[in-house]
């Protein structure tokens, strides 16, 4: 049996849907508490890692992954400047290797798919490794833990990856929330969130 699925209603012509990244932040902000251990599965330029580090506080821990050295450098610089680098463990590896680096269950994992802003747009996340990472993530989450995944269907390969993520989520048997998905065929980003609470 599939889990509980919530999809946001289609906005009216006068409404502008919130950005998928903002929706992901809202979900994570409501979920986390000081001292939590969390994962940024796609560091990019470090924006999500910084957001997470502030939420979990000095007693918390953020593990961040990225396959690109440029992303590791940019994230380290941003986190150092913000004074939170001591809360972060940066891993120069793809998110599909996550299970090898996590020693205990985590409270939340954020994915922000696509390419590194300001870098080579040919270097993108791909559905094969993303699905492997999502599977490892679900295993690594504590009960009640949260996954947020911002999907970008507007670049080559992005729609395939986005729909693979959505289909994966719908097949988990967990609580699933999908927001802004009505614009995916026009290339607009959308959010897939999975909470590790079985609805079977």
């Amino acid at each position: 049996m599939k889990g509980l699925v919530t999809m946001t209603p289609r906005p009216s012509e006068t409404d502008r849907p919130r950005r998928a990244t903002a929706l992901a932040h809202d979900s994570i902000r409501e979920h986390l508490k000081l001292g939590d251990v969390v994962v940024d599965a796609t560091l990019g330029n470090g924006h999500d890692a910084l957001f997470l580090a502030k939420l979990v506080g000095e007693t918390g821990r953020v593990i961040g992954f990225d396959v690109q050295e440029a992303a590791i450098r940019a994230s380290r610089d941003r986190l150092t400047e913000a004074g939170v680098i001591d809360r972060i463990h940066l891993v120069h590896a793809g998110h599909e290797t996550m299970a090898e680096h996590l020693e205990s269950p985590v409270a939340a994992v954020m994915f922000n798919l696509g390419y590194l802003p300001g870098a080579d747009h040919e270097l993108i996340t791909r559905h094969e490794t993303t699905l492997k990472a999502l599977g490892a993530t679900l295993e690594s989450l504590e009960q009640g833990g949260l996954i947020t995944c911002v999907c970008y269907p507007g670049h080559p390969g992005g729609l395939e990856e986005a729909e693979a993520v959505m289909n994966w989520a719908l097949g988990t048997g967990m609580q699933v929330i999908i927001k802004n998905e009505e614009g995916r065929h026009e290339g607009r980003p959308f959010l897939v969130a999975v909470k590790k609470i079985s609805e079977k």
Side-chain angles (χ1 to χ4, degrees):
M1 182 185 298
K2 291 184 178 180
L4 176 66
V5 180
T6 302
M7 290 187 166
T8 53
R10 184 180 297 274
S12 70
E13 291 183 0
T14 58
D15 292 334
R16 291 189 64 183
R18 297 191 68 211
R19 290 173 57 130
T21 49
L23 294 170
H25 281 203
D26 288 347
S27 298
I28 291 290
R29 189 181 293 109
E30 293 172 4
H31 180 76
L32 292 185
K33 63 184 184 301
L34 294 175
D36 277 339
V37 178
V38 296
V39 173
D40 181 351
T42 48
L43 276 168
N45 286 317
H47 294 285
D48 285 341
L50 177 56
F51 168 74
L52 291 169
K54 291 178 178 179
L55 289 179
V56 301
E58 294 180 359
T59 58
R61 189 74 171 156
V62 180
I63 303 103
F65 294 83
D66 209 291
V67 71
Q68 296 190 59
E69 178 62 34
I72 298 293
R73 288 197 304 269
S75 296
R76 182 180 292 112
D77 290 347
R78 183 178 305 278
L79 297 163
T80 300
E81 183 178 351
V84 297
I85 191 65
D86 58 330
R87 307 175 197 176
I88 316 285
H89 176 55
L90 300 176
V91 181
H92 184 201
H95 51 209
E96 70 276 11
T97 70
M98 188 184 307
E100 302 170 20
H101 301 276
L102 300 181
E103 299 177 354
S104 59
V106 298
V109 181
M110 297 189 76
F111 288 79
N112 195 354
L113 302 178
Y115 50 77
L116 175 64
D120 185 354
H121 290 189
E122 296 296 317
L123 298 174
I124 59 173
T125 56
R126 301 185 182 277
H127 75 273
E128 299 91 347
T129 50
T130 296
L131 291 180
K132 183 177 179 181
L134 286 167
T137 295
L138 195 58
E139 291 294 321
S140 301
L141 272 185
E142 63 188 26
Q143 189 63 23
L146 180 67
I147 302 168
T148 63
C149 190
V150 177
C151 302
Y152 295 86
H155 60 80
L159 181 59
E160 180 182 16
E161 181 180 43
E163 295 197 331
V165 168
M166 190 160 60
N167 290 335
W168 171 84
L170 295 174
T172 61
M174 304 296 166
Q175 288 187 358
V176 178
I177 298 174
I178 301 174
K179 296 185 178 182
N180 293 0
E181 83 290 341
E182 69 281 345
R184 68 183 185 278
H185 291 291
E186 288 76 50
R188 292 198 290 268
F190 66 97
L191 171 67
V192 177
V194 177
K195 194 167 187 179
K196 193 173 181 179
I197 299 177
S198 177
E199 292 292 330
K200 294 183 178 180

